[in-house]
């Protein structure tokens, strides 16, 4: 149910913790003296968000969005649907989108375009993981935790069919699990 469906641990809990602190420091320096609105993309980014925000030393507010691009499987449909929008007005604000992983790039390029239409001061993206080999649209995040190879990963918030989110490490899911 947990580790037995995975091939290996790709990134350990302690590596994540260390890198998260580095990203938070970078964000803290980049926005010194400013307020930021941190937008967590539900549900995969929840654990990363919770750990990251506690290391950011700025005036922050939280908001949440839920989007769907994947449905139930392991491959993207390419179209993005907003399930839940932010509750705050973002006009004039420094917005940082916190996401679990950039894969095809469809989700984040859509979200950045959408939020920019609302006249924020800035929109930046912080992603825990980046899988550049899978890109369908050009997209680069401002802050990236780790580049990962072209394999399906689960844990630390990331799921396959809503399972494995509570694994403390980022693990490679066995191919037989998502191809059966
Ligand atoms: P994109 O729009 O293709 O960039 O997809 C981003 C979304 O796909 C992420 O927010 C994840 O929910 C999901 N996703 C992409 N790759 C993986 C993976 O390896 N494991 C788990 N979820 C993934
Ligand atoms: Mg997700």
């Amino acid at each position: 149910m947990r580790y037995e469906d995975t091939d290996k641990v790709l990134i350990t809990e302690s590596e994540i913790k260390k890198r998260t602190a580095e990203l938070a420091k970078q964000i803290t320096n980049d926005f010194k003296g400013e307020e930021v609105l941190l937008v967590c993309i539900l549900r995969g980014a929840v654990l990363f968000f919770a750990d990251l925000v506690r290391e950011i030393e700025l005036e922050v507010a939280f908001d949440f969005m839920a989007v769907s691009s994947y449905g139930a499987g392991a491959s993207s449909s390419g179209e993005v649907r907003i399930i839940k929008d932010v509750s705050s007005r973002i006009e004039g604000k420094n917005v940082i989108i916190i996401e679990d992983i950039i894969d095809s790039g469809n989700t984040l390029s859509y979200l950045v375009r959408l939020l920019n239409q609302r006249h924020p001061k800035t929109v930046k993206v912080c992603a825990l993981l980046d899988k550049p080999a899978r890109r369908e649209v050009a997209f680069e995040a401002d802050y990236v935790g780790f580049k990962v190879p072209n394999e399906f990963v689960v844990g630390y918030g990331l799921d396959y069919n809503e399972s494995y989110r509570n694994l403390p490490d980022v693990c490679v899911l066995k191919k037989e699990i998502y191809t059966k």
Side-chain angles (χ1 to χ4, degrees), residues 70 99-101 103-107 131 151-153 158-159:
Y70 252 65
E99 174 63 309
D100 53 1
I101 186 167
D103 190 44
S104 70
N106 286 315
T107 305
K131 223 192 270 180
E151 295 185 277
F152 199 82
V153 293
L158 290 104
D159 75 309

